[in-house]
Amino acid sequence: MIDPRPAHAASVPRAALSAALSMALFAALPTPGAWASDTAAATRLERAVLSEKEDHLRLGLTVAPSVPAEMKVLAEEGRLVLAFPGLSADSAVLEGAGLGLTPGEDGLHLEITGRHLGLEPDLRALSPLRGESMAFAIGAPEVLAALPALVPLPRPRPVAVAVPMTAAVDEPQPFTVVIDAGHGGHDPGAVVRGIEEKDLTLVFARRLALRLSTLPDMRAVLTREGDRFLPLGARLRFAVAEGADLFLSLHADTVTEGDASGLSVYTLTPDRREDVAAEITAEAPRDAILRGVDLGGAGDDVTRILVDLAQRRTGAEEQRVAAAILTGMGETVPLLTTRPHRNANFRVLHSVDFPAILVELGFLSNEEDRKRLTDRRWQAMAADRMTEAIDSWRRDLATRNGQE
């Protein structure tokens, strides 16, 4: 994977930005005939969103109709400038404080300032959100060192030449897996011999997201990118906002008596679905309960019925994805010997129209599990097996839905 982090010009005066670093963001460029002859006219920055996270800035860019194949990074104290050759835009596309836009000799200049930049601002690629072309984490190097570079930056999408567009065509949306690293911040989860559950789940979540993002038409998003606390309800709301097709919460178990070991998968207790439907109907905004459906004019009874029907379909898929993971993982990863597929009423399993499962990767209280969970080779192998299992279930789902 290409590492998009630039070298830095230390404390360069604002007027002197000659120490520019050209970055080849893509492994392969399209053939000359694949690009429109007038790149400046064909390629525009449609949206730039700068949002402030706990300890860094997140920049999301939407470029159409093609992604630029090169950009330059100009770094100085408290300021970062991204120069895109052949890109055009106007200031109306900017969203968020600390963003500026100016034309330059080498293309469009997007200037970023903010309190997270520090003396030597750094840049790292992140997984784009739905609708974005590319995304970056921006901040001080010591902060970004803890953030994952989830996926390589996207390759340029070829632009057809001399083909008139008669109507807008929606691009197929990627299959989105939201990965929730359990605990975080002031909540360490299980702690055994100095090993904290919150750290293990984040490391594995990053590995799994990286592996999933290599699959065609697959998008992996983390509920947390660093050591921060998220309320349980906020994790599911995040998944809804991201358009999740699958929600996967990762944990590591522990016991005070006995010596349990092995991986297990939890799905929502079936007889709790009616209570969950009533709870969601009473508490959730009506326009955000079912994807693409505004229930603002529906009464509680109708809403509860629709939620219940959606949950029944979701529940069936949860059983299938849980079985796929246990089957795929069980060949090489030890499973809990007594009922590796379990039911519970965990808050993060209260989804409506997408499957939500919770995976206990193993037991920190068990010495062999603890060795596995902290071993990088095991983590990589387990992430590979889980990726294959999720992809197998996804392809089976597409076949049953008549999409393949």
Side-chain angles (χ1 to χ4, degrees), residues 2 20 111 179-180 203-204 221 370-371 388 399:
I2 298 170
E111 179 178 339
I179 305 170
D180 175 44
V203 168
F204 192 82
V221 187
R370 194 164 59 250
K371 288 180 181 178
E388 292 167 2
T399 299

Side-chain angles (χ1 to χ4, degrees), residues 105-121:
E105 292 181 0
D106 52 354
L108 189 71
H109 284 192
L110 189 64
E111 179 178 339
I112 302 103
T113 59
R115 65 183 182 89
H116 296 308
L117 294 188
L119 295 177
E120 295 184 36

Side-chain angles (χ1 to χ4, degrees), residues 102-189:
T102 56
E105 292 181 0
D106 52 354
L108 189 71
H109 284 192
L110 189 64
E111 179 178 339
I112 302 103
T113 59
R115 65 183 182 89
H116 296 308
L117 294 188
L119 295 177
E120 295 184 36
D122 203 352
L123 182 75
R124 178 164 300 184
L126 293 178
S127 183
L129 300 180
R130 188 183 295 268
E132 291 180 340
S133 304
M134 61 186 82
F136 304 98
I138 304 168
E142 62 272 15
V143 171
L144 295 190
L147 292 177
L150 289 180
V151 293
L153 297 178
R155 295 176 182 270
R157 291 173 290 185
V159 179
V161 180
V163 178
M165 293 292 290
T166 56
V169 179
D170 291 336
E171 292 186 3
Q173 296 297 330
F175 191 93
T176 298
V177 180
V178 173
I179 305 170
D180 175 44
H183 306 282
H186 64 76
D187 175 18

Side-chain angles (χ1 to χ4, degrees), residues 286-316:
R286 291 301 171 91
D287 60 351
I289 294 178
L290 295 176
R291 195 177 317 179
V293 179
D294 187 351
L295 296 172
D300 285 354
D301 291 342
V302 172
T303 300
R304 191 178 297 113
I305 291 171
L306 293 175
V307 169
D308 179 66
L309 290 173
Q311 282 191 314
R312 289 178 187 275
R313 292 191 298 269
T314 296

Side-chain angles (χ1 to χ4, degrees), residues 199-212:
D199 296 329
L200 286 177
T201 59
L202 183 58
V203 168
F204 192 82
R206 288 172 175 170
R207 286 189 179 275
L208 181 60
L210 177 62
R211 185 66 183 86
L212 282 168

Side-chain angles (χ1 to χ4, degrees), residues 336-359:
L336 184 65
T337 55
T338 56
R339 293 189 301 113
H341 183 180
R342 300 186 162 222
N343 296 321
N345 187 33
F346 298 136
R347 180 68 180 84
V348 290
L349 300 180
H350 290 192
S351 65
V352 178
D353 56 354
F354 55 85
I357 65 171
L358 185 146
V359 177

